Each structure stands twice: as structure tokens, then as C-alpha cells.
């Protein structure tokens, strides 16, 4: 019978291409991964990997076994979830990846709620942009991901990932208090403004370049609260989602509504194999409750 731990080692090498990266993903040493692969080759009587520069390349036999390993490991996940559901107790560890705004506006309340309601559950949080969070979820590094998904730069969800919508987060144009624009405007009328945007590579930056072709932001700032301080100093304008704003805006800025309203979808995602796990269901409910509170305070 093929050892499950050795299949995990092969699957990790197939995913990450090097023994070092596979070891980091499995939280073990590269030597331990190499030993598992060597034992698996002896066990199967087949050469599964071969050197490819500084990395490893799967042989044809290795690719065949790795494909089966992925299905086997998914089945094991399903079995563990079914067993956890049978116990009907929220236990174990749940690690969440979330984009920065959600880390600040949604997760503190949700994680506190989980700790209070389910003391046998240990939680962890990793801040990650949506692309990183989705990848970490797909690789099994986290159990749940909270993602912002703009229609103009929509995320692509890998096979085996389930996602549900928390809600839509409207974005507004934020301008200095003495700015010429008031009331309601369109993005087209703002094209010649000095723009403050998220950092290059962030999904909000990608969105701005998509909806404002040709715009070159003068300021690239990751934190929305820092963007607000720059706007208050009269240095430019920015489109900021309501969830990302503090309930009370700082002095020196004001809101200009945009038409049509820019909106991003906020979603929760998890692996289908873990869907029956009680901790997933408890976290989804806590995040829904947190979303309702956060949305009401920023309406």
C-alpha cells in the first residue's frame, strides 16, 4: 500500500518544483522530502522525479502518480471533513487569508466571535491580496480566504474551490474639501485629476488602470487611510471602497458619488473537500454577521 505521507511529498514537489519549496509547504526539511520520495520510488518500483537544473521534474510515471495523489488527498480532506461534521463540534485550527481591508474591518469581530463561541477552535490570520489568498487556499496553506473581486478584473477560481458572496462594496471618489467636483460625477470627468492609487500589482490598482485607460497615478500607496491623508493634503483624488474607509472621514476630505457606482464583490472561499467541516460553516456565519455590522456603519 502506498504511504499517504509519501504521496503528499510527491504532490508538493509537483506543485512547487523544488525540494526546498516542497519542504516549506509541508513544514519539514528538504532532506525529509527527499527521503519520502526515495521511499516512494522503492515502494512503486518506478523513477518518479529527475533533476532539472536546480529543481526537479516529474517523469511520466511521476506525473501519473501525482495526478492520482491530488485526487487521493482531496478524498482524505473530504473524509476528515465528514468525520468532523459527524462529531458536530467546531474544533481544530482554522487559518484565514484576507485582503487588507477585510483584515481591518471584518476579521477582528469575526475572529473574536469564533473564539467566544467555539473555545476549542484555534484561529490564525494572514494578510494577502486576493491572488495570493486564492493561491494559498488552493495549495492548502489556509482553510478559508476572504477576497475582493472587482468585475472589471474578475478573479479566476481554480477547480475544487467553492466561493459565496458576502456582499457588494460600493466605492466613491474622495477629493480634498475645496475641490471643484461636488455632488455626483463620472469617472470620465476625473481623467485629468492627479490620482492616488493602491500599489502596482494590487487588484485595486489593476482596476483603476482598467477603468481609467491612460491614467498614470502620481502616488502608489497600499493603505487606504494613508491615501486619505494625502487627499486631505490636497495632493490628489482616489476611489476608495466604503468598507475601506473609517466610519468617520478625516477633516479635509469629502465624498463625491460616482455614476455608475464602482462596486467590488466581497466573497468567502474554501476548498470543496472541506465544505462539511463545522469550523468552515461557523466562520462563514461569523463573517456574515461581521459584514452586516460593518456595512451598516458605512452606509
Amino acid at each position: 500500500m502506498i504511504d499517504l505521507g509519501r504521496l503528499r511529498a510527491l504532490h508538493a514537489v509537483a506543485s512547487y518544483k523544488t525540494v526546498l519549496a516542497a519542504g516549506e509547504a509541508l513544514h519539514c526539511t528538504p532532506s525529509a522530502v527527499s527521503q519520502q520520495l526515495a521511499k516512494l520510488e522503492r515502494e512503486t518500483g518506478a523513477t518518479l522525479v529527475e533533476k532539472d537544473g536546480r529543481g526537479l521534474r516529474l517523469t511520466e510515471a511521476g506525473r501519473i502518480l501525482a495526478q492520482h495523489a491530488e485526487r487521493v488527498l482531496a478524498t482524505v480532506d473530504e473524509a476528515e471533513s465528514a468525520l468532523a461534521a459527524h462529531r458536530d463540534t467546531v474544533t481544530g485550527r482554522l487559518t484565514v487569508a484576507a485582503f487588507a481591508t477585510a483584515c481591518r474591518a471584518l476579521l477582528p469581530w469575526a475572529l473574536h466571535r469564533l473564539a467566544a463561541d467555539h473555545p476549542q477552535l484555534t484561529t490564525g490570520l494572514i494578510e494577502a491580496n486576493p491572488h495570493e489568498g486564492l493561491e494559498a487556499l488552493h495549495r492548502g496553506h489556509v482553510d478559508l480566504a476572504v477576497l475582493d473581486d472587482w468585475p472589471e478584473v474578475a478573479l479566476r477560481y481554480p477547480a475544487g474551490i467553492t466561493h459565496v458572496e458576502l456582499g457588494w462594496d460600493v466605492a466613491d471618489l474622495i477629493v480634498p474639501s475645496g475641490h471643484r467636483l461636488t455632488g455626483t460625477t463620472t469617472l470620465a470627468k476625473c481623467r485629468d485629476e492627479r490620482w492616488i492609487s493602491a500599489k502596482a500589482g494590487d487588484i485595486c490598482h489593476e482596476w483603476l488602470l482598467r477603468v481609467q485607460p491612460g491614467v498614470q497615478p502620481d502616488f502608489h500607496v497600499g493603505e487606504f487611510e494613508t491615501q486619505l491623508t494625502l487627499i486631505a493634503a490636497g495632493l490628489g483624488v482616489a476611489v476608495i471602497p466604503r468598507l475601506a474607509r473609517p466610519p468617520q472621514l478625516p477633516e479635509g476630505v469629502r465624498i463625491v458619488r460616482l455614476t455608475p457606482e464602482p462596486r467590488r464583490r466581497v466573497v468567502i472561499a474554501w476548498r470543496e473537500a472541506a465544505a462539511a467541516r463545522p469550523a468552515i460553516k461557523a466562520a462563514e456565519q461569523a463573517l456574515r454577521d461581521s459584514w452586516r455590522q460593518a456595512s451598516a456603519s458605512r452606509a
Side-chain angles (χ1 to χ4, degrees), residues 173-224:
L173 183 70
I174 309 297
V175 303
S177 295
H179 198 274
R180 63 180 179 83
L181 292 173
T182 59
T184 302
T185 190
T186 64
L187 280 171
K189 294 178 180 178
C190 308
R191 190 177 303 277
D192 295 330
E193 297 291 334
R194 293 191 75 192
W195 281 95
I196 300 166
S197 84
K199 295 180 294 184
D202 285 356
I203 194 167
C204 291
H205 180 267
E206 295 175 13
W207 174 84
L208 179 63
L209 298 188
R210 181 69 60 87
V211 300
Q212 289 283 60
V215 162
Q216 295 295 327
D218 293 302
F219 303 92
H220 298 81
V221 178
E223 288 290 335
F224 284 112

Side-chain angles (χ1 to χ4, degrees), residues 78-255:
E78 291 173 357
E80 290 176 345
S81 294
L83 184 59
H86 177 70
R87 290 195 297 263
D88 200 28
T89 303
V90 180
T91 61
R93 180 172 179 82
L94 183 86
T95 303
V96 181
F99 63 102
T101 298
C103 284
R104 183 174 61 251
L106 299 178
L107 269 301
W109 191 94
L111 294 178
H112 176 77
R113 170 77 174 274
L114 286 172
D117 292 351
H118 308 288
Q120 297 182 62
L121 179 68
T122 302
T123 56
L125 175 63
I126 298 172
E127 181 181 317
N129 70 46
H131 299 298
E132 294 169 342
L134 201 50
E135 179 69 10
L137 179 65
H138 188 226
R139 298 293 188 188
H141 294 174
V142 300
D143 305 292
L144 198 76
V146 184
L147 313 165
D148 58 333
D149 192 356
W150 295 85
E152 294 83 359
V153 284
L155 295 173
R156 294 184 179 181
Y157 297 90
I161 299 297
T162 294
H163 65 281
V164 295
E165 181 182 304
L166 273 182
W168 288 88
D169 186 21
V170 174
D172 299 299
L173 183 70
I174 309 297
V175 303
S177 295
H179 198 274
R180 63 180 179 83
L181 292 173
T182 59
T184 302
T185 190
T186 64
L187 280 171
K189 294 178 180 178
C190 308
R191 190 177 303 277
D192 295 330
E193 297 291 334
R194 293 191 75 192
W195 281 95
I196 300 166
S197 84
K199 295 180 294 184
D202 285 356
I203 194 167
C204 291
H205 180 267
E206 295 175 13
W207 174 84
L208 179 63
L209 298 188
R210 181 69 60 87
V211 300
Q212 289 283 60
V215 162
Q216 295 295 327
D218 293 302
F219 303 92
H220 298 81
V221 178
E223 288 290 335
F224 284 112
E225 289 188 357
T226 305
Q227 291 185 24
L228 287 171
T229 65
L230 294 173
I231 297 168
L235 296 172
V237 304
V239 174
I240 299 183
R242 293 177 186 174
L243 191 66
R245 300 189 327 233
Q248 195 75 16
L249 283 175
E251 293 184 6
V253 306
R254 71 160 183 262
I255 297 169

